[in-house]
Amino acid sequence: MRVMGSAGLEFIELMNGKHIAYLATLNPWDFAAGRILAETLGIKVRAANGNQLNRFKTSHLIAGTPAAYHRIKMLQQF
């Protein structure tokens, strides 16, 4: 696991296929553009509880390839 300290850079790494997932607590302005771009490329971006992100609140976020997102959600059940 690696954290670069920039949501924009993390989303770029994810969209370029260098990472398979990104977990963070972000403000709406940190995830808004990355979410739109990532979802366009088939990357799942959701709140940690599985709901849609609230674009007006700080959220615990999971972004990942469909397979990685599914595995993370499975791990949350334990």
Side-chain angles (χ1 to χ4, degrees):
M1 178 164 203
R2 179 173 186 213
V3 178
M4 295 188 298
S6 167
L9 292 175
E10 297 284 2
F11 272 106
I12 289 170
E13 295 290 299
L14 184 59
M15 291 183 284
N16 281 330
K18 293 182 180 179
H19 294 159
I20 60 169
Y22 174 48
L23 291 80
T25 301
L26 299 174
N27 292 307
W29 53 86
D30 293 323
F31 65 74
R35 173 188 174 194
I36 292 167
L37 294 169
E39 287 179 343
T40 300
L41 295 172
I43 296 167
K44 291 189 71 90
V45 182
R46 298 278 189 276
N49 63 8
N51 294 334
Q52 289 287 337
L53 291 165
N54 184 330
R55 39 180 213 206
F56 302 109
K57 295 175 107 178
T58 299
S59 299
H60 303 290
L61 170 142
I62 300 172
T65 63
Y69 179 85
H70 178 70
R71 289 183 193 131
I72 292 166
K73 293 305 291 177
M74 286 178 44
L75 288 171
Q76 281 184 313
Q77 295 176 9
F78 291 105

